[in-house]
Amino acid sequence: DTGVSQDPRHKITKRGQNVTFRCDPISEHNRLYWYRQTLGQGPEFLTYFQNEAQLEKSRLLSDRFSAERPKGSFSTLEIQRTEQGDSAMYLCASSPHLGEKLFFGSGTQLSVL
Amino acid sequence: EDQVTQSPEALRLQEGESSSLNCSYTVSGLRGLFWYRQDPGKGPEFLFTLYSAGEEKEKERLKATLTKKESFLHITAPKPEDSATYLCAVQDNNQGGKLIFGQGTELSVKP
């Protein structure tokens, strides 16, 4: 059990550029969650997958955000046309079953200049 | 709508000075209430899950309790290494397993 892995750890980009983050969940965890966290706040839910199906997407998530989980393994989160307000820590988490605790990765820190 | 509010936002303690963190919640149907610890620049680390009012769980200097409206995280004789942000989250029966987090309490323990 190597834990939830996220790549990259840090990303600096210019406003208007597209960025993509990757998350590798714990093996055999069929549920995968994406969260966003800004300084001094708790994690905010973005979206989640059960296997390859995206089952819920936050109303707060703009159309510039898209997530995929092909084959129900790793997941990617893409942000198009980044804005300064997108600067945050993007956290990925996985869990084995409904109702179980979530295991979090170390996150990707995005800075949009 | 599910909501979690934590207080205080920040807490400074001297080593050995016991205290409690509060988590008030509103949820349509509680599946579980979770406590996590988060160190700077890292993801949240799981501490406890509580499922029903009256339940208590302990781990080293930490003890979590649950009522129908709130949860407390009691810290007994804290040490500097307990310094971190403590996050409370609820899981709703009808929300597919996602956690709704509070804003956290930043705890600082001075030697």
Side-chain angles (χ1 to χ4, degrees):
Chain A
D1 181 354
T2 57
V4 177
S5 177
Q6 291 189 246
D7 185 69
R9 288 296 315 278
H10 304 276
K11 179 70 177 179
I12 300 174
T13 191
K14 293 182 179 180
R15 186 164 49 94
Q17 298 295 306
N18 298 344
V19 294
T20 300
F21 310 139
R22 177 180 170 121
C23 171
D24 287 273
I26 293 172
S27 178
E28 298 181 357
H29 280 195
N30 62 16
R31 290 176 169 264
L32 186 147
Y33 302 80
W34 284 100
Y35 283 80
R36 176 173 62 192
Q37 186 177 27
T38 53
L39 200 61
Q41 299 299 314
E44 175 187 38
F45 171 77
L46 295 178
T47 188
Y48 92 93
F49 294 82
Q50 181 173 326
N51 299 313
E52 66 275 12
Q54 187 173 19
L55 296 185
E56 185 177 349
K57 191 174 176 181
S58 169
R59 294 190 302 265
L60 303 174
L61 208 60
S62 81
D63 292 341
R64 296 183 296 106
F65 287 71
S66 63
E68 294 183 342
R69 192 183 183 196
K71 301 179 182 179
S73 55
F74 71 93
S75 177
T76 58
L77 178 68
E78 180 183 18
I79 309 174
Q80 296 182 328
R81 306 180 302 283
T82 53
E83 301 173 357
Q84 289 186 327
D86 297 330
S87 296
M89 173 79 86
Y90 289 83
L91 292 162
C92 177
S94 68
S95 71
H97 304 293
L98 178 64
E100 300 261 359
K101 64 189 178 189
L102 273 58
F103 294 80
F104 283 85
S106 294
T108 294
Q109 182 66 52
L110 173 67
S111 297
V112 181
L113 304 178
Chain B
E1 184 175 326
D2 299 340
Q3 193 167 1
V4 178
T5 302
Q6 293 186 245
S7 62
E9 291 186 3
L11 182 62
R12 291 186 175 187
L13 299 175
Q14 288 296 125
E15 185 172 2
E17 180 186 3
S18 301
S19 188
S20 296
L21 281 56
N22 177 264
C23 171
S24 298
Y25 65 91
T26 304
V27 63
S28 58
L30 182 69
R31 173 177 281 124
L33 185 140
F34 296 74
W35 282 98
Y36 282 82
R37 168 190 171 131
Q38 187 173 28
D39 292 303
K42 296 187 176 182
E45 177 185 346
F46 172 78
L47 292 173
F48 304 108
T49 308
L50 301 167
Y51 293 103
S52 57
E55 188 175 0
E56 299 181 351
K57 289 194 176 173
E58 287 188 65
K59 178 181 179 181
E60 297 180 352
R61 295 176 292 282
L62 301 177
K63 178 180 178 180
T65 61
L66 181 65
T67 72
K68 288 186 178 180
K69 294 183 179 180
E70 57 191 350
S71 176
F72 291 93
L73 184 65
H74 306 279
I75 303 176
T76 302
K79 298 182 177 182
E81 54 261 43
D82 294 322
S83 297
T85 294
Y86 290 85
L87 296 164
C88 172
V90 295
Q91 196 174 65
D92 190 316
N93 273 326
N94 302 311
Q95 294 293 323
K98 72 182 182 188
L99 298 181
I100 304 299
F101 283 87
Q103 78 275 27
T105 293
E106 184 179 358
L107 174 66
S108 175
V109 182
K110 299 299 183 185

